[in-house]
Amino acid sequence: MKYIDEFRDGDLARQLASAIAHEARRERSYNLMEFCGGHTHAISRYGLNDLLPANVNMIHGPGCPVCVLPIGRIDNAIALAARPGLILCTYADTIRVPASKGSSLLKAKACGADIRMIYSSADAIRIAQENPARDVVFFAIGFETTTPPTAVAIVEAQALALTNFSVFCNHVVTPAAISNILESKEVRELGTLPLDGFIGPAHVSTVIGSQPYEYFAEEYRRPVVIAGFEPLDVMQAILMLVRQLNEGRAEVENEFTRAVTREGNAKAKALVAEVFELRRSFEWRGLGEVPYSALRIKEKYRAFDAESRYGITYRPVPDNKACECGAILRGVKKPADCKVFGTVCTPDNPIGSCMVSSEGACAAHYTYGRFRDAAVVAAKPATPIVSIA
């Protein structure tokens, strides 16, 4: 299949759904976590849950980089933006994430801070070149997918001798989060979060490859199938997981062979290793402190480390008590379980980060209407729709 429409073919989707229903054994359940927000988005957009048998349960994971960014890090960025003459550059979704005391980068911008939305790290370099008399900080976030471009920017800044450019690094790594979930009380002790297997992230895996997931299959006996973001990708991955579980296998399989290899992108990985090193610990929203789960800039490039340059000190801040975003990111709850979902908390007025990004579980559920009407009109649940053509 060469073209995007072929990955959205309704007849093929129904055939896959029929195969899943045929092979899913009635006497057991299949609890599968789609780690990445892109998969959550596809499941909601195309109504894939409606095509699955009742005993195949999809669980949302923490695979949204905007969603897992803790409030304290947003507060740090707002404090940076408040410095006289400083320009803060970051991606658009980050600007809308709620911070403490009802603030956000968007509100700080409205109050006069020079905060600029950019499409790539190259834009931040350009802005630094165009404003040599002002400090420019790139508020960098994301998983392994967006880390190489940040590394490129730092290396380029050094080559250009850009003394007014630095990076506030908040890049996190995927495998540590999967380990944290599998080691959590809900999974290991209480059993309140049954997890039988994972749909592995697509874009992340184009960089790191499929090899890092082999540990989870071997150590925790949980199969992983790396899948693309189209609806047929997801349905095929579910079928592959069902087959593995039926056969008692726990392996890493790659459905996304058109983009992912076992080794990943060697050049990108080498560049990241050149510029970054692991932090001992980093806070994820919903997961808490996760050991060796984030990156920091190496000593060699310390001149471009905003945390070092500005003496940034991190202070954890608790989430809004009304928001269930943390539990949703851990897979313990679903968006509709949150009392403020779709009423007080909407994409126009987000209370938690899961409602901000298009990869957030709450935003995906709200945008495609699968639970929005049920939240607003409690007496009548929304009618499920299957939106594959």
Side-chain angles (χ1 to χ4, degrees):
M1 295 192 293
K2 297 180 180 179
Y3 305 106
I4 198 77
D5 287 348
E6 293 180 274
F7 292 93
R8 300 175 182 177
D9 184 279
D11 289 336
L12 287 176
R14 283 182 279 273
Q15 289 176 35
L16 283 169
S18 177
I20 293 169
H22 176 73
E23 298 195 30
R25 297 173 181 169
R26 294 183 180 181
E27 70 273 12
R28 66 157 299 169
S29 60
Y30 301 82
N31 299 293
L32 312 175
M33 175 175 279
E34 81 273 2
F35 181 90
C36 186
H39 292 132
T40 302
H41 182 86
I43 289 167
S44 292
R45 178 180 181 184
Y46 296 102
L48 300 188
N49 274 324
D50 293 338
L51 299 177
L52 299 175
N55 59 337
V56 176
N57 178 37
M58 302 307 298
I59 302 167
H60 312 309
C64 165
V66 173
C67 303
V68 300
L69 196 64
I71 290 175
R73 290 275 161 179
I74 303 293
D75 286 350
N76 286 151
I78 291 171
L80 274 173
R83 297 177 71 92
L86 187 141
I87 301 172
L88 185 81
C89 302
T90 193
Y91 302 123
D93 281 351
T94 312
I95 289 180
R96 300 182 60 244
V97 178
S100 61
K101 300 178 182 178
S103 185
S104 68
L105 285 167
L106 185 62
K107 291 179 180 178
K109 179 177 176 66
C111 291
D114 194 344
I115 300 171
R116 305 190 187 184
M117 292 177 282
I118 59 174
Y119 290 101
S120 73
S121 58
D123 291 338
I125 291 289
R126 174 183 53 78
I127 291 169
Q129 289 177 299
E130 293 172 351
N131 296 271
R134 299 179 65 183
D135 283 355
V136 175
V137 176
F138 173 38
F139 182 21
I141 73 160
F143 296 135
E144 292 90 340
T145 315
T146 55
T147 305
T150 302
V152 168
I154 292 172
V155 171
E156 185 178 1
Q158 185 181 67
L160 294 171
L162 278 180
T163 58
N164 66 325
F165 176 80
S166 62
V167 173
F168 179 32
C169 180
N170 292 271
H171 286 297
V172 291
V173 295
T174 305
I178 297 177
S179 291
N180 180 273
I181 290 170
L182 289 171
E183 290 286 351
S184 68
K185 236 181 1 178
E186 291 93 346
V187 174
R188 287 185 73 87
E189 297 176 27
L190 304 177
T192 52
L193 178 58
L195 274 181
D196 298 314
F198 290 90
I199 296 180
H203 293 157
V204 164
S205 300
T206 63
V207 177
I208 67 173
S210 64
Q211 186 177 12
Y213 307 106
E214 293 172 6
Y215 169 78
F216 306 110
E218 182 177 349
E219 181 69 18
Y220 297 98
R221 302 300 302 164
R222 299 300 203 284
V224 179
V225 174
I226 296 163
F229 290 130
E230 293 303 321
L232 295 191
D233 287 319
V234 178
M235 294 294 287
Q236 178 64 33
I238 293 170
L239 179 59
M240 293 165 74
L241 284 168
V242 167
R243 286 174 175 169
Q244 280 208 52
L245 292 167
N246 285 347
E247 295 167 10
R249 293 185 292 120
E251 301 172 3
V252 176
E253 293 184 317
N254 182 15
E255 183 276 338
F256 199 32
T257 54
R258 62 188 185 274
V260 173
T261 64
R262 183 174 183 270
E263 294 76 21
N265 187 323
K267 187 174 182 179
K269 291 194 295 184
L271 181 61
V272 169
E274 161 70 16
V275 176
F276 299 105
E277 62 188 6
L278 284 171
R279 297 177 187 259
R280 281 194 168 187
S281 185
F282 192 85
E283 184 187 358
W284 291 53
R285 190 186 296 240
L287 303 185
E289 287 287 333
V290 181
Y292 301 106
S293 65
L295 302 175
R296 67 182 181 188
I297 299 169
K298 283 185 172 179
E299 181 67 27
K300 179 180 178 181
Y301 297 97
R302 187 177 180 184
F304 304 100
D305 185 352
E307 288 186 73
S308 174
R309 179 180 293 193
Y310 299 103
I312 296 172
T313 302
Y314 178 71
R315 182 179 64 87
V317 179
D319 289 340
N320 189 310
K321 291 181 180 180
C323 177
E324 297 286 2
C325 189
I328 292 166
L329 289 168
R330 295 196 306 276
V332 176
K333 292 188 176 183
K334 295 183 181 295
D337 295 329
C338 182
K339 293 180 180 178
V340 297
F341 171 76
T343 53
V344 176
C345 184
T346 67
D348 292 331
N349 181 48
I351 302 299
S353 58
C354 293
M355 190 62 90
V356 174
S357 171
S358 61
E359 291 190 1
C362 294
H365 281 246
Y366 186 94
T367 300
Y368 297 108
R370 302 183 56 74
F371 294 98
R372 179 177 53 193
D373 294 340
V376 176
V377 187
K380 183 179 180 181
T383 302
I385 58 172
V386 178
S387 52
I388 295 179

